[in-house]
Amino acid sequence: MLSDREVLSTLEMLKNEHLDVRTVTLGISLLDCASHELDRFKNQIHRKITLLAKELVRVCDEVGDKYGIPVVNKRISVSPIAVAGAVFSSAQMIEVARTLDEAAKEVGVDFIGGFTALVEKGFAKGDLSLIEALPEALSVTERVCASINVASTRAGINMNAVRLMGQTIKTAAEYTAEADGLACAKLCVFSNIPQDIPFMAGAYLGIGEPDAVINVGVSGPGVVKKAIERARESRPGLDLGQISEIIKRTAFKVTRVGELIGREVAQRLSVPFGVADLSLAPTPHVGDSVGEIFQSLGLASIGVPGSTAVLALLNDAVKKGGAFASSFVGGLSGAFIPVSEDLNISEAARRGLLSLEKLEALTSVCSVGLDMVALPGDIAPETIAAIIADEMAIGVINRKTTATRLIPVPGKKAGERAHFGGLLGSATIIPVRDEESSRDFIRLGGRIPAPTQSLIN
């Protein structure tokens, strides 16, 4: 039972500290729509998505109004299209992407994820068709998001896929050069991808998931920052162990709120509740930044020495508090550090405090990876692939999820600004120590073997 004081503190979170339910995502299996005929497949996936999701936005708004807790984003994730549409060519995959986009617009959601392939151990025909279709599919649609899993701790790293994704990202950026390579902001490359992520751009509905399910993503970096500031102001002698306890208690409350909303939405839509994703996801607004939490703990900025230790503490405390609040936790669950989507992190990159190398170090303890990182437009595809390979290695060896959302900005150089709009924000382009020094390594191809599970130092 919550005390009166805890109820009042939760109300304060809602009123002044940007507490919200960041996303309610309806997962829909499309595997029963499979067909060898393209028109039949398109009609069936359009019919199923619009039938199951037609009330999603209305129900989320009603439940949000009932509790006074806004549901910021309503989204859909679907089965990996490379599996459901395995028989189709790349041109046909583009038509499938258009159908997904139309269905998303019709039901009023802002993104639909699942234009996905899982290729950590090799390619099937549908995987290659989907990856070949990515640049055009992401440039001719508004709401379709894509993800490619190229590595896992059990399979190792598919370096042929890594190399292919380096070229694909470069091409996708060129397709949307007038928008600073916006297509790449809708494309994630993963290791150890979870099957129940509610957050975009990586969301998809895994093979072992129900026919339809509601997954919820809670957030609240502003809430955590305010909780730390209040505690340090009233008790100046707090040490990091005590601050970790405060973050845990805050994460507990935030997760309870998210699960409450998610379960009622699921009940009203007559689908099962899946998981709550505990991630701290920022926005480009003042007071809603993961980067500001670093300052509340005594660092001048994210990126200075001590940042990796702070992020490790933050990530662990959020997981512990959330896991106590909910028995069904999943997705990514941790702290996101997207460069363009977080005002404070974007500013640290502009000032040169956050280099590519420091970001990579941070990703060894955060929940995602190199997220929304703008790169020079003339970067070589092999260099993009090498950055992906480094990030995948961190995930594979440490048995955790890592990902990259890299955006080579056509026509722009390091130090210039890239603008993506809305929640995607803007970012200073980060320099890369390049000189095509990774080309010969990436061209070796093959698969880096899975690590041994017993000698893990």
Side-chain angles (χ1 to χ4, degrees):
M1 177 70 73
L2 290 175
S3 66
D4 291 348
R5 188 170 181 176
E6 287 174 313
V7 171
L8 289 173
S9 74
T10 305
L11 291 173
E12 182 69 16
M13 292 176 185
L14 291 167
K15 188 176 178 184
N16 298 320
E17 299 170 9
H18 303 282
L19 175 60
D20 53 42
V21 174
R22 186 54 51 85
T23 183
V24 169
T25 301
L26 173 61
I28 301 174
S29 173
L30 300 182
L31 299 181
D32 56 348
C33 300
S35 172
H36 280 75
E37 299 175 20
L38 179 62
D39 287 341
R40 183 181 176 86
F41 180 66
K42 287 165 52 182
N43 289 336
Q44 290 186 154
I45 65 174
H46 183 274
R47 185 184 307 118
K48 185 166 185 180
I49 292 170
T50 52
L51 178 66
L52 288 174
K54 64 182 179 182
E55 302 294 339
L56 175 64
V57 173
R58 181 184 64 77
V59 167
C60 286
D61 289 341
E62 285 180 359
V63 175
D65 290 343
K66 175 182 174 183
Y67 293 102
I69 302 169
V71 177
V72 179
N73 301 301
K74 301 88 176 175
R75 294 164 172 176
I76 296 170
S77 63
V78 297
S79 308
I81 294 298
V83 176
V87 298
F88 299 125
S89 67
S90 61
Q92 292 170 318
M93 285 289 187
I94 295 168
E95 291 302 308
V96 173
R98 288 182 186 275
T99 301
L100 294 174
D101 201 45
E102 290 166 6
K105 287 178 185 173
E106 196 167 319
V107 298
V109 298
D110 51 2
F111 283 120
I112 181 167
F115 202 70
T116 296
L118 311 172
V119 296
E120 60 269 22
K121 213 167 182 179
F123 300 99
K125 178 190 172 187
D127 301 324
L128 285 170
S129 296
L130 183 135
I131 293 173
E132 188 179 343
L134 276 172
E136 186 170 344
L138 294 178
S139 61
V140 300
T141 59
E142 294 179 13
R143 310 184 188 208
V144 173
C145 291
S147 54
I148 308 295
N149 194 65
V150 300
S152 72
T153 299
R154 289 193 175 277
I157 306 174
N158 182 347
M159 290 299 292
N160 294 326
V162 169
R163 179 181 177 186
L164 183 56
M165 290 313 299
Q167 182 59 61
T168 301
I169 289 171
K170 181 86 173 178
T171 306
E174 290 166 355
Y175 268 71
T176 48
E178 77 291 344
D180 283 348
L182 181 62
C184 300
K186 299 185 289 177
L187 171 59
C188 284
V189 181
F190 273 92
S191 71
N192 294 321
I193 186 172
Q195 300 187 47
D196 51 11
I197 310 171
F199 288 102
M200 297 294 170
Y204 83 105
L205 188 72
I207 303 300
E209 296 286 310
D211 190 57
V213 65
I214 287 288
N215 294 320
V216 173
V218 299
S219 184
V223 174
V224 171
K225 171 177 171 278
K226 286 289 185 184
I228 295 171
E229 287 177 345
R230 272 196 302 270
R232 293 193 70 196
E233 191 177 325
S234 61
R235 289 180 286 166
L238 282 178
D239 64 21
L240 289 171
Q242 293 167 317
I243 290 173
S244 171
E245 187 66 22
I246 290 164
I247 298 172
K248 280 167 54 182
R249 289 172 177 270
T250 305
F252 173 86
K253 295 178 201 171
V254 170
T255 306
R256 283 289 205 203
V257 168
E259 183 162 338
L260 172 71
I261 298 292
R263 285 194 177 278
E264 183 149 346
V265 170
Q267 183 184 27
R268 293 193 185 196
L269 292 175
S270 301
V271 299
F273 175 76
V275 299
D277 185 316
L278 309 176
S279 296
L280 290 181
T283 67
H285 303 303
V286 175
D288 201 24
S289 160
V290 171
E292 289 176 5
I293 299 174
F294 289 68
Q295 294 169 338
S296 71
L297 287 170
L299 294 180
S301 168
I302 184 174
V304 303
S307 297
T308 308
V310 165
L311 188 55
L313 179 152
L314 177 65
N315 217 30
D316 180 67
V318 168
K319 287 177 192 289
K320 286 174 177 171
F324 186 60
S326 173
S327 298
F328 298 98
V329 171
L332 297 166
S333 291
F336 289 1
I337 52 170
V339 176
S340 74
E341 296 176 8
D342 185 309
L343 192 63
N344 195 275
I345 296 176
S346 178
E347 175 62 14
R350 186 193 68 77
R351 293 168 60 196
L353 294 171
L354 268 179
S355 65
L356 191 62
E357 291 76 12
K358 185 59 180 177
L359 278 168
E360 187 178 307
L362 292 173
T363 66
S364 65
V365 298
C366 84
S367 62
V368 185
L370 295 170
D371 196 15
M372 293 299 289
V373 178
L375 302 173
D378 62 354
I379 189 171
E382 291 86 355
T383 304
I384 298 173
I387 296 170
I388 294 172
D390 284 343
E391 194 59 38
M392 298 302 104
I394 290 172
V396 166
I397 297 299
N398 292 291
R399 292 176 286 183
K400 68 189 289 292
T401 300
T402 56
T404 65
R405 198 160 36 147
L406 305 174
I407 309 169
V409 184
K412 292 190 176 179
K413 300 178 180 177
E416 296 187 72
R417 295 285 290 179
H419 302 275
F420 308 114
L423 280 177
L424 298 175
S426 61
T428 298
I429 296 169
I430 291 179
V432 180
R433 295 175 189 173
D434 184 1
E435 299 176 355
E436 301 188 4
S437 51
S438 309
R439 182 174 53 196
D440 291 346
F441 165 67
I442 290 300
R443 290 181 178 178
L444 290 174
R447 181 154 57 98
I448 294 178
T452 182
Q453 301 293 304
S454 58
L455 304 173
I456 58 173
N457 289 328

